[in-house]
Amino acid sequence: MLSVRRVLLALWHQAGGGQRLRSVSTGWSPVGAAFNVKPQWRLDVLEKSTGLFGVPELSSPEGFQVVQDNALRKAESLVEKVCTSPPSADTVKMFDLLSDELCKVADLADFVKVAHPDSSFREAAEEAFRNIGTMVERLNTNIELCQSLRKLLDDKTLLESLDPETRRVAELFLFDFEISGIHMDEEKRQKAVNLNVVIADLSNDFLIGANLPNKIDKNVIPEHIRSHFSWDGQYLQVSGLHADSPNDLVREAAYKIFLYPNSRQLKCLNELLSSRNALTQLVGYPTFAHRALLGTMAKTPENVMMFLEKLSSKLRERTAKDFEMMLGMKMKLNPMNRELMPWDPPFYAGVLRAERYNIEPSLYSPFFSLGACMEGLNSLFNQLLGISLYSEQPEKGEVWSKDVRKLAVVHEDEGLLGYIYCDFFHRPEKPPQDCHFTIRGGRLREDGQYQLPVVVLMLNFPQSTKSSPTLLTPGMVENLFHEMGHAMHSMLGRTRYQHVTGTRCATDFAEVPSILMEYFASDYRVVNQFARHYQTGQSLPKPMISRLCESKKVGAASDMQLQVFYSILDQIYHGKHPLKGSTVDILSDTQEKFYGLPYIPPTAWHLRFSHLVGYGAKYYSYLMSRAVASMVWKQCFMKNPFDRAMGERYRKEMLAHGGGKEPMLMVQGMLQRCPSVEDLVDALVSDLDPDFETFLMDSE
């Protein structure tokens, strides 16, 4: 591990020598301790607030108006400069600077509007996000701006003088113009702008509605299960599926009530799908899916469906066996229930795992204190990539909650790479999803310095107690490693242009680094470096890890089949319109064909499917990314998860480019070949096979 002195010297040189390092603290502390103890806050009431993420204007909600207006003013100036300058490589740099000015506000606001505990900050961020988005839509239909880019790309001599990354970024900017209908007349372009605004509003409304609880008169619920649901003084509130409840009736009631169709939400989804289709038709694509999949690894809806249907065919028999085992367990526990229902698989798969492998989370959690897991990540990144994580004390007003930790990411030779803000602990009104947010993208600035990336990782871990630090379940550990995979992608995507920084890449490639980290989290050689009992210091026994890994394969085929069903439903909704029936009819038909358990009328699961917003026509990305990650793990890291040479290759071929290179070319560079659809399907299916040899060896 690097010495603190060497780190500070590296940071000193990174910042340009003897200048005062305002953004880098000398108060480094071990990363594990930083997460296993409560942070100590300075109580200097006279200290001036530095503002959220060090942005001085954001010391108050009103500052969003200031940063928004500044960004819009700079954007207008840059547009004029681009339009009056002769075409050259500088044209792309100006486009990227324009993108950066707007994204620095929009990305930060996108996070604050969902995560800040103060409603006034959330509302101000929401307004700024909306206004910047409107400006982006205007720019994407600005003919003069587009023509300045076309002049560059149409000049063969100039085009040949561009390096590959600059050329790709120029083409990506042109692509944004084209999918926004730049080729249309002014009336249609304005219509496209208006449709995008409508789609943004509908998307926001759908996300809100997807998470609202359903309320019901308590007399509708049998008295002996009412205590399982919250009571607001007038109604019982059902805010989830209660999938882990051992009571069959509780799960059934939760499923039928939580998924009961809401007419307002149904209307919102129908309008969202209709508006997306209208925009697609307006700008000249066959379907929304065709438009959404341009630039991805899959490229077309036809390729996506081929992948999903081949995978479904390979999974069918395994899924049937999973359901058979679950039904057997259900009849064993409750002989009166002789049919497996859609609310059953998560619970009975868990029962089977526990019975076969004894993987009660409470047996594992004492070995997985949050601090130990962070030290494990630090050790892995250090060995694999030459990177260390250092905890830094935030300035006053820099973070939105006292529980947020700030990490500096430092390379042993290159110095400071960027910052990760870790918003890891549950608090009231905090969104339940685990997320990675880009706050500021990396890029090469005009002065030759690199603009360091800044990201937030948001998870929902329990707080520490007086008697113990935060202890994670195996599932939480996997989620932590997953999100850290996104963060490393952001830190190591050292692109020249902000437009393609880090995770700003094809959706079906963006999940590869994060899912790959799940394989590291399941490898005993990795886990053994950090899993220690928080009281005794005892190492986690190897057979426990083996049992945990094998237990994940129980019900895995049916779970993957469920993902196929979701992905195909997403493709149909974003395919040819008008749809062949209502969204509920399509849900029912697709579930019967691609999952196997009966649809329960009048439930409307799709109205809770929030991924239809952010992953519209791209939900398959999780499966395809997992297939690629599986291939990378088995070929490159399974033999030695700490192989530094392979880690450097991984950085060079996959992480470093962000979205600045065709995604399949990055995969090809890592695997030394281009995988076929059959390769991808086989990689997923092979992950389901039990590793009996390893399991038996570890159990001896």
Side-chain angles (χ1 to χ4, degrees):
M1 183 176 289
L2 291 175
S3 69
V4 172
R5 181 175 181 276
R6 184 177 169 191
V7 170
L8 292 174
L9 281 173
L11 297 175
W12 186 79
H13 289 297
Q14 176 88 10
Q19 301 172 16
R20 182 168 178 259
L21 302 185
R22 295 186 62 192
S23 62
V24 179
S25 166
T26 57
W28 305 107
S29 59
V31 69
F35 287 86
N36 269 357
V37 298
K38 295 282 187 182
Q40 299 298 312
W41 285 79
R42 296 186 290 262
L43 298 177
D44 185 356
V45 294
L46 299 178
E47 184 181 2
K48 186 178 180 181
S49 173
T50 188
L52 286 172
F53 299 104
V55 179
E57 294 86 352
L58 297 185
S59 297
S60 68
E62 293 73 24
F64 271 103
Q65 182 73 47
V66 178
V67 295
Q68 167 203 296
D69 290 347
N70 288 341
L72 294 176
R73 187 165 51 252
K74 290 177 183 177
E76 294 285 4
S77 176
L78 281 165
V79 168
E80 182 179 355
K81 186 175 180 181
V82 171
C83 293
T84 56
S85 300
S88 69
D90 287 341
T91 302
V92 183
K93 293 178 183 178
M94 286 187 282
F95 263 89
D96 190 64
L97 182 56
L98 173 60
S99 173
D100 186 54
E101 291 292 345
L102 296 174
C103 285
K104 277 192 288 192
V105 178
D107 290 339
L108 192 156
D110 189 33
F111 169 73
V112 173
K113 72 184 176 69
V114 297
H116 203 290
D118 185 334
S119 61
S120 58
F121 266 100
R122 294 198 301 271
E123 290 164 8
E126 177 77 52
E127 180 67 17
F129 182 79
R130 179 184 173 88
N131 291 336
I132 294 292
T134 301
M135 177 64 165
V136 170
E137 296 302 335
R138 280 179 47 209
L139 294 179
N140 283 340
T141 54
N142 183 315
I143 289 183
E144 193 176 1
L145 193 61
C146 179
Q147 285 176 342
S148 66
L149 195 61
R150 284 192 189 279
K151 288 176 183 177
L152 172 64
L153 292 172
D154 288 344
D155 188 319
K156 290 185 178 181
T157 303
L158 279 175
L159 192 61
E160 289 175 0
S161 70
L162 302 180
D163 63 87
E165 185 181 359
T166 300
R167 181 171 180 171
R168 175 166 170 79
V169 171
E171 291 169 347
L172 288 172
F173 277 122
L174 184 61
F175 170 71
D176 289 339
F177 282 116
E178 290 174 345
I179 64 172
S180 298
I182 195 69
H183 54 284
M184 301 183 302
D185 60 41
E186 185 175 352
E187 182 181 350
K188 288 183 177 179
R189 288 198 307 277
Q190 186 56 51
K191 188 175 181 181
V193 171
N194 295 339
L195 275 169
N196 275 306
V197 172
V198 168
I199 289 168
D201 289 342
L202 288 169
S203 296
N204 191 54
D205 291 344
F206 185 80
L207 286 175
I208 293 172
N211 293 302
L212 289 177
N214 270 344
K215 299 181 179 182
I216 192 167
D217 190 295
K218 69 176 182 179
N219 294 318
V220 177
I221 301 288
E223 186 175 358
H224 69 284
I225 66 168
R226 289 175 191 168
S227 61
H228 291 271
F229 307 104
S230 61
W231 169 252
D232 68 359
Q234 188 173 7
Y235 295 101
L236 288 176
Q237 295 194 71
V238 182
S239 55
L241 294 174
H242 291 250
D244 295 329
S245 173
N247 189 313
D248 289 351
L249 189 57
V250 169
R251 295 195 312 278
E252 179 179 354
Y255 188 93
K256 290 179 176 179
I257 296 169
F258 185 63
L259 300 183
Y260 192 83
N262 177 295
S263 59
R264 181 177 178 181
Q265 184 76 343
L266 184 60
K267 181 174 183 287
C268 181
L269 177 61
N270 287 335
E271 289 180 358
L272 176 61
L273 296 177
S274 177
S275 298
R276 282 176 168 174
N277 181 66
L279 176 63
T280 298
Q281 298 293 314
L282 184 66
V283 299
Y285 290 91
T287 68
F288 180 83
H290 281 89
R291 178 177 182 260
L293 294 174
L294 291 171
T296 62
M297 286 196 291
K299 296 191 181 299
T300 69
E302 293 77 16
N303 288 340
V304 172
M305 287 301 291
M306 182 192 307
F307 167 67
L308 294 173
E309 288 173 352
K310 283 181 180 291
L311 179 56
S312 181
S313 178
K314 283 283 185 78
L315 290 173
R316 189 166 287 115
E317 288 186 12
R318 293 169 183 259
T319 299
K321 288 181 180 178
D322 280 358
F323 288 155
E324 185 180 334
M325 287 191 298
M326 292 173 197
L327 179 58
M329 179 56 71
K330 183 175 184 178
M331 292 175 65
K332 177 181 176 181
L333 297 179
N334 190 347
M336 300 300 292
N337 286 339
R338 296 181 170 274
E339 186 176 4
L340 194 70
M341 303 303 288
W343 50 81
D344 288 331
F347 173 71
Y348 287 108
V351 173
L352 285 164
R353 283 192 287 269
E355 182 182 79
R356 291 185 181 185
Y357 298 104
N358 188 24
I359 53 155
E360 169 59 40
S362 63
L363 297 175
Y364 287 84
S365 292
F367 295 91
F368 292 135
S369 72
L370 176 55
C373 294
M374 293 303 297
E375 286 289 4
L377 284 161
N378 189 35
S379 175
L380 175 63
F381 294 149
N382 190 264
Q383 294 174 77
L384 204 60
L385 298 162
I387 285 172
S388 296
L389 306 175
Y390 293 92
S391 177
E392 185 181 345
Q393 176 73 42
E395 298 293 330
K396 181 181 178 181
E398 186 179 350
V399 296
W400 49 101
S401 170
K402 289 185 177 181
D403 292 326
V404 175
R405 313 298 204 271
K406 180 183 179 183
L407 294 179
V409 181
V410 181
H411 188 271
E412 61 189 18
D413 296 321
E414 300 166 33
L416 183 63
L417 297 181
Y419 289 104
I420 303 170
Y421 289 84
C422 300
D423 188 356
F424 282 176
F425 301 100
H426 174 77
R427 61 176 176 271
E429 297 186 27
K430 182 180 177 182
Q433 297 86 2
D434 296 338
C435 303
H436 163 277
F437 291 87
T438 297
I439 302 300
R440 183 178 70 197
R443 71 180 182 93
L444 186 63
R445 298 194 318 228
E446 299 72 33
D447 61 4
Q449 296 295 309
Y450 199 79
Q451 176 173 290
L452 299 179
V454 175
V455 304
V456 172
L457 297 187
M458 190 166 70
L459 296 128
N460 278 275
F461 296 152
Q463 293 277 1
S464 60
T465 67
K466 290 183 178 180
S467 59
S468 74
T470 292
L471 302 179
L472 307 185
T473 65
M476 291 175 182
V477 175
E478 188 172 274
N479 288 350
L480 174 61
F481 272 65
H482 179 102
E483 297 304 331
M484 269 293 181
H486 284 310
M488 284 301 108
H489 198 181
S490 292
M491 294 297 109
L492 291 171
R494 306 306 268 186
T495 54
R496 187 181 310 173
Y497 301 101
Q498 178 272 158
H499 193 64
V500 291
T501 184
T503 57
R504 297 197 208 280
C505 57
T507 307
D508 53 5
F509 180 80
E511 293 296 330
V512 172
S514 54
I515 293 174
L516 180 61
M517 285 297 296
E518 295 177 21
Y519 287 90
F520 285 95
S522 298
D523 188 280
Y524 179 73
R525 294 162 294 182
V526 175
V527 175
N528 188 50
Q529 290 207 337
F530 68 88
R532 300 283 186 276
H533 196 286
Y534 77 99
Q535 291 174 316
T536 67
Q538 176 194 355
S539 297
L540 182 65
K542 190 173 183 181
M544 288 182 68
I545 290 294
S546 294
R547 290 201 303 270
L548 182 64
C549 292
E550 289 306 307
S551 73
K552 293 177 183 178
K553 297 174 183 177
V554 175
S558 57
D559 187 58
M560 194 177 290
Q561 188 74 59
L562 185 64
Q563 297 301 311
V564 171
F565 155 46
Y566 293 166
S567 300
I568 291 177
L569 187 70
D570 175 43
Q571 289 297 306
I572 295 172
Y573 284 165
H574 291 102
K576 189 173 182 180
H577 279 238
L579 297 173
K580 295 179 179 179
S582 70
T583 56
V584 175
D585 291 338
I586 293 169
L587 169 68
S588 173
D589 292 344
T590 308
Q591 181 169 330
E592 296 283 352
K593 185 175 180 182
F594 289 103
Y595 186 41
L597 295 185
Y599 164 75
I600 307 299
T603 59
W605 170 84
H606 60 304
L607 300 183
R608 299 287 185 179
F609 191 21
S610 58
H611 283 88
L612 287 174
V613 172
Y615 280 76
K618 296 179 183 178
Y619 190 72
Y620 77 92
S621 296
Y622 287 106
L623 287 167
M624 187 165 283
S625 290
R626 183 166 294 280
V628 172
S630 174
M631 295 182 72
V632 171
W633 169 257
K634 290 167 186 170
Q635 182 174 318
C636 305
F637 295 109
M638 190 164 69
K639 184 177 180 181
N640 176 10
F642 307 111
D643 187 332
R644 180 62 181 271
M646 201 58 73
E648 293 296 341
R649 178 166 136 193
Y650 174 51
R651 179 184 181 183
K652 177 185 175 185
E653 296 292 347
M654 297 188 79
L655 297 180
H657 303 288
K661 190 174 181 180
E662 282 282 348
M664 197 52 84
L665 289 178
M666 290 188 274
V667 174
Q668 186 175 351
M670 190 67 195
L671 298 175
Q672 307 292 293
R673 65 189 179 92
C674 186
S676 65
V677 171
E678 288 75 16
D679 291 332
L680 297 172
V681 168
D682 289 345
L684 287 172
V685 174
S686 67
D687 275 354
L688 304 174
D689 294 329
D691 189 357
F692 288 115
E693 183 179 346
T694 300
F695 180 63
L696 291 173
M697 179 183 66
D698 291 342
S699 299
E700 291 175 355

